[in-house]
Each structure stands twice: as C-alpha cells, then as structure tokens.
Amino acid sequence: MTAQDFVLESYNSNIEKGKVKWSSPSNIALIKYWGKREQQIPENPSISFTLSNCKTITEVTYTKKKTGDFSFNVIFEGKENEAFKPKIQTFFERVEAYVPFLRDYHFTIETSNTFPHSSGIASSASGMSALALCMMSIEEKLTAYEDVISTEQSDEKSQNYFNQKASFLARLGSGSACRSIEGELVVWGQNESTESSDLYGIRFSGEVHSNFKKYQDTILLVDKGEKQVSSTVGHQLMHGHPFAKERFKQAHHNLGKLKAVFASGDLDNFVKIVESEALTLHAMMMTSMPYFILMKPNTLEIINRIWTYRKTNNSHVCFTLDAGANVHVLYPENEKESVLRFIKNELADYCQNKQYITDYVGKGAQFMKN
Ligand code: DP6
C-alpha cells in the first residue's frame, strides 16, 4: 500500500447528515517510537500492547454545509472544549487529501475518556484513533463498498482496507495512535523482522506464546500534571541527536529479539528488552539538546521497588515508561493476585492520591451503535 491508495476519489455528497460512534483504546509501547520524519513517518519501528480499559469514546455527528473552511466543534466530557481544537484542525489539514468530504460537513465531535482527565495518560493515541475511525465510518457511509464488493472474501478485504486506512489517518493525528486500531500486539514502522509499514500499524503476525495471554498493565499515576516537554518536541530533538543513529538501529535489533521472545515465551528476556527500551527512551531525552527529565523521584523509587520485588519473589513483573513520569507495571496474568497486592501495599504510596489504573491487553477498537 502507498499513501496514494488511501485517497478517496469519489463519494456521494447527497447524504445530509448522520452519526457514528467508536470506542478506541490506548496502547503501551514495548519497543518505543521516538524520532520521526515529515508526514509522521517514524525513524524506527515500534511495537505495542493494545489496552482494554483505557479508552476514548467519540461520537461524530456530521451535517451537510456549503463547501468551504473546516467547521467543527468539540464537546469533551459534556462541555464545549476549545483546547482540543488546534490539534483537530491540524489533523483535518493533514488528512484532507484522503477524506475530501471534510469540507462538506460540519462535525460535532463529542468525546470522553474512561480514564481520569489529566491523569498524565497519553490520550492522543486513543483520542486520535477514535476520531480516525469515525472518519472512516463516515467515508463508508458516503461510499458504497457493498456495490463494488460482495463476496465474503472481499468483505475481509474491505475490512482490511478500513483498518489500514483508519490506522493511516490516526498516524497523521498522532504517531502512536496508529497502533490503537487493532489488538493485541501491533507493529508500526518498516523493519526486517515482521510484516510492517511506515504508513500504518499492522497486527503482529508472528507466533505469540500463551505466557503473553491477557498480559497485565497497571498504570501508576505518579504525576498527573502537564508534561514540561511534549512528545512532539521530544521527537524533534532526535534530529541531530548524537546517539540517534545507534538508537534507531537498536530498535530494529530489539524488535527482532522480541519476536523470538514472543514465540518462545521467554519472560526473562522479555523483561530485559522492555525495561531497557523504557530507560533508553528516557536516556534519549536526557542526552538531547536541550536536555530534559520527565521521570520524578517517585518514578525511580517505584522502579527500584519493582526490581527488589522481582528478585525476592522470583517474579516476572517489569516496568515500562511513556514520555512522562507514570509507570506501567507489566506482568503475566498468573501473577495478577500477588503483584496487585504488592502494588496496593507498596507502590500506591508513590502515586498521586494513591491512584493507579488496572488494565490488560485488549483486542482493539469497537464500533458502537448509536
Ligand atoms: C514515548 O505518538 O505521542 O509514547 O506522533 O508527535 O503525536 P506524536 O507523538 P506520540 O509519541 C509517543 C511516544 C512514546 C512511545 C510510543 O508510544 O511508541
């Protein structure tokens, strides 16, 4: 597939109005995307677990208007929201060539998250993927795929196209959002180990051992404040970064290693790769110019306690970090009870208001009937 394949050539502009609704999850990267080129093309491949509970639910109502400027309003958790508009405006500008009906309708975008607002959890992945999926459902309504394709085999083909284009559009909103359409493991970025594309996320096609079934992710809310440096700025600082080339090479290498780990179920090596990726991500931040630190003292305290717990209990619990201070605690389902006890008794004290969110690997976004 090339970007050109996602251009919508013609559509039925007689449809006056309609409504579509999607629920789309967040995801947590195991191999981190950090560094991008023009058009949201990643500098290195990444792979993530799709989550289940941390989701954005978005309903888009579209009403026919005279072709002209983009027109939309955003209602976030029941209230008109101006703050999200610039990001959506940029999204519209980037995807317009692929969904040209954007200028023909006024859109009311009603959105809410299942996780607490300003929890420091990246809502751009779930938010942008939910919006992209709504745009795809509108595209589906304004075109008639059924007329062209009718066999079951072709249904699968159109489903694939739908998911690929949704992921493609989501990527143009926020890179990591392209990994939120499907589950349970999604790869984004060309690499030599897996089926992949720079343009959209693809379900990991390799073998996955039962050790990774329903893998758990408890998100410890260490710092709920606004980040001092956005991901977008962080990505930019990888241009001319002294270690960038090596880092991009390492991500390819780690993805190859992780693929083997998924097949064998080797949890010891899983832990090593995942934690090293998290710390490397933050090392890139600390060694960019200007340099910055997003971890907080409690982030380090938690990491140290996870290491001690793992050693003393022969556990496979590990951590990963996003571009922030919160800690994602990852562990196999069979350790759920004991690790949750450890989190509650020991780690919760290092979270803001003792808050954490329990989640696990999920199957991807869902269409919702209005
Ligand atoms: C650290 O997808 O938020 O979470 O493409 O600029 O919107 P933009 O960045 P974003 O970057 C996320 C980076 C990360 C790692 C990852 O999810 O792979």
Side-chain angles (χ1 to χ4, degrees), residues 27 29 31-34 36 40 46 87 124 173-176 179 231-232 235 281 322-323:
N27 68 70
I31 306 287
K32 307 290 181 181
Y33 146 56
W34 200 243
K36 62 176 166 184
Q40 303 274 100
S46 57
K87 210 160 181 198
S124 70
S174 176
S176 55
R179 299 187 312 242
S231 291
T232 304
H235 287 294
L281 167 71
D322 259 348

Side-chain angles (χ1 to χ4, degrees), residues 129-141:
S129 55
L131 185 56
L133 284 157
C134 287
M135 291 307 158
M136 281 310 293
S137 284
I138 298 173
E139 170 174 319
E140 204 171 46
K141 293 199 172 173

Side-chain angles (χ1 to χ4, degrees), residues 90-357:
T90 306
F91 172 68
F92 276 21
E93 286 163 11
R94 287 185 188 159
V95 301
E96 186 195 355
Y98 308 99
V99 279
F101 55 82
L102 286 186
R103 290 188 187 273
D104 300 338
Y105 292 90
H106 172 82
F107 300 96
T108 296
I109 302 164
E110 284 180 74
T111 185
S112 60
N113 295 330
T114 56
F115 42 90
H117 181 45
S118 73
S119 56
I121 295 187
S123 56
S124 70
S126 54
M128 281 299 169
S129 55
L131 185 56
L133 284 157
C134 287
M135 291 307 158
M136 281 310 293
S137 284
I138 298 173
E139 170 174 319
E140 204 171 46
K141 293 199 172 173
L142 303 188
T143 53
Y145 291 139
E146 307 83 74
D147 290 352
V148 190
I149 305 161
S150 56
T151 64
E152 241 173 62
Q153 195 191 6
S154 302
D155 265 4
E156 197 186 309
K157 216 165 134 192
S158 73
Q159 185 62 45
N160 268 343
Y161 178 78
F162 186 99
N163 284 342
Q164 278 175 1
K165 185 165 173 184
S167 174
F168 173 87
L169 298 177
R171 182 196 101 241
L172 291 167
S174 176
S176 55
C178 80
R179 299 187 312 242
S180 274
I181 308 295
E182 294 181 90
E184 302 177 335
L185 279 163
V186 178
V187 181
W188 169 42
Q190 247 165 31
N191 70 85
E192 45 303 316
S193 309
T194 70
E195 193 192 332
S196 58
S197 166
D198 277 345
L199 299 178
Y200 47 85
I202 296 182
R203 281 187 68 169
F204 174 63
S205 53
E207 194 189 334
V208 181
H209 192 277
S210 62
N211 281 352
F212 297 102
K213 224 175 148 208
K214 234 180 156 201
Y215 221 73
Q216 305 289 305
D217 179 8
T218 301
I219 307 154
L220 308 182
L221 306 181
V222 173
D223 186 49
K224 302 196 282 170
E226 190 79 18
K227 283 187 287 193
Q228 312 106 292
V229 183
S230 72
S231 291
T232 304
V233 171
H235 287 294
Q236 247 124 51
L237 293 174
M238 287 302 278
H239 293 298
H241 189 295
F243 307 135
K245 225 171 127 200
E246 277 308 308
R247 161 59 199 153
F248 302 146
K249 251 189 0 207
Q250 180 196 42
H252 283 262
H253 189 62
N254 279 348
L255 185 55
K257 287 205 287 191
L258 200 55
K259 184 186 172 188
V261 160
F262 280 130
S264 66
D266 178 351
L267 291 174
D268 289 330
N269 272 316
F270 177 78
V271 165
K272 281 188 194 149
I273 298 165
V274 168
E275 291 191 344
S276 159
E277 275 288 318
L279 293 179
T280 303
L281 167 71
H282 284 255
M284 290 300 112
M285 300 173 191
M286 291 187 224
T287 49
S288 61
M289 193 55 77
Y291 43 81
F292 58 104
I293 302 179
L294 295 182
M295 290 188 278
K296 297 281 178 195
N298 282 352
T299 312
L300 291 179
E301 186 62 43
I302 289 167
I303 290 174
N304 278 305
R305 282 175 185 269
I306 289 173
W307 285 344
T308 307
Y309 176 90
R310 186 162 74 223
K311 210 164 169 195
T312 26
N313 294 279
N314 243 325
S315 160
H316 287 108
V317 66
C318 73
F319 72 87
T320 188
L321 307 166
D322 259 348
N326 294 337
V327 182
H328 287 249
V329 186
L330 301 176
Y331 47 100
E333 204 198 2
N334 65 8
E335 289 194 40
K336 192 171 162 180
E337 228 176 283
S338 46
V339 173
L340 275 176
R341 209 176 316 121
F342 160 60
I343 290 171
K344 188 162 172 266
N345 294 341
E346 226 182 287
L347 302 184
D349 284 342
Y350 301 95
C351 301
Q352 269 194 4
N353 308 321
K354 297 198 174 216
Q355 267 187 300
Y356 55 87
I357 299 170

